[in-house]
Amino acid sequence: MNASQIINDNMTLEEKLKAIDAAMQAAQQQADDDAKQSGNTSAPLDPASLTICDGCE
Protein backbone atom coordinates (compact mmCIF):
# COMPACT_ATOMS: atom_id res chain seq x y z
CA MET A 1 0.00 0.00 0.00
CA ASN A 2 1.46 3.33 -1.03
CA ALA A 3 0.70 6.08 1.49
CA SER A 4 1.16 8.82 -1.11
CA GLN A 5 -1.82 7.38 -3.01
CA ILE A 6 -3.99 7.59 0.11
CA ILE A 7 -3.01 10.83 1.83
CA ASN A 8 -1.34 14.11 0.89
CA ASP A 9 0.04 17.16 2.69
CA ASN A 10 -3.01 19.28 1.86
CA MET A 11 -5.37 17.07 3.87
CA THR A 12 -6.38 17.79 7.45
CA LEU A 13 -5.62 15.22 10.11
CA GLU A 14 -9.28 14.18 10.13
CA GLU A 15 -9.26 13.70 6.34
CA LYS A 16 -6.06 11.65 6.58
CA LEU A 17 -7.52 9.41 9.27
CA LYS A 18 -10.71 8.88 7.26
CA ALA A 19 -8.69 8.04 4.14
CA ILE A 20 -6.55 5.54 6.06
CA ASP A 21 -9.66 3.95 7.57
CA ALA A 22 -11.28 3.65 4.15
CA ALA A 23 -8.11 2.07 2.72
CA MET A 24 -7.99 -0.44 5.58
CA GLN A 25 -11.64 -1.35 5.04
CA ALA A 26 -11.05 -1.79 1.31
CA ALA A 27 -8.01 -4.01 1.98
CA GLN A 28 -10.00 -6.15 4.42
CA GLN A 29 -12.87 -6.44 1.95
CA GLN A 30 -10.45 -7.54 -0.78
CA ALA A 31 -8.94 -10.14 1.57
CA ASP A 32 -12.43 -11.38 2.46
CA ASP A 33 -13.43 -11.60 -1.21
CA ASP A 34 -10.23 -13.44 -2.16
CA ALA A 35 -10.67 -15.92 0.67
CA LYS A 36 -14.32 -16.48 -0.20
CA GLN A 37 -13.44 -17.24 -3.83
CA SER A 38 -10.94 -19.86 -2.72
CA GLY A 39 -13.35 -21.39 -0.21
CA ASN A 40 -11.52 -20.10 2.86
CA THR A 41 -12.15 -17.49 5.50
CA SER A 42 -9.91 -14.51 6.15
CA ALA A 43 -8.60 -13.16 9.42
CA PRO A 44 -8.58 -9.47 10.24
CA LEU A 45 -5.63 -7.75 8.61
CA ASP A 46 -2.83 -6.51 10.82
CA PRO A 47 -2.38 -2.81 9.94
CA ALA A 48 1.38 -3.19 10.40
CA SER A 49 1.52 -5.68 7.52
CA LEU A 50 0.27 -2.96 5.18
CA THR A 51 3.17 -0.66 6.07
CA ILE A 52 6.06 -3.00 5.27
CA CYS A 53 7.29 -4.05 1.86
CA ASP A 54 6.74 -7.64 0.75
CA GLY A 55 10.47 -8.33 0.64
CA CYS A 56 10.88 -7.24 4.25
CA GLU A 57 8.15 -9.50 5.60
Side-chain angles (χ1 to χ4, degrees):
M1 185 176 295
N2 187 344
S4 65
Q5 294 174 339
I6 300 168
I7 60 174
N8 63 56
D9 292 336
N10 296 326
M11 299 170 85
T12 65
L13 176 59
E14 189 66 31
E15 291 171 328
K16 289 177 182 179
L17 293 173
K18 285 181 182 181
I20 292 167
D21 188 47
M24 288 294 301
Q25 288 178 357
Q28 183 65 59
Q29 185 62 49
Q30 184 63 47
D32 291 345
D33 292 344
D34 292 346
K36 188 176 182 180
Q37 287 179 354
S38 63
N40 297 315
T41 57
S42 66
L45 294 175
D46 178 6
S49 69
L50 300 175
T51 62
I52 191 168
C53 70
D54 291 337
C56 297
E57 286 183 342

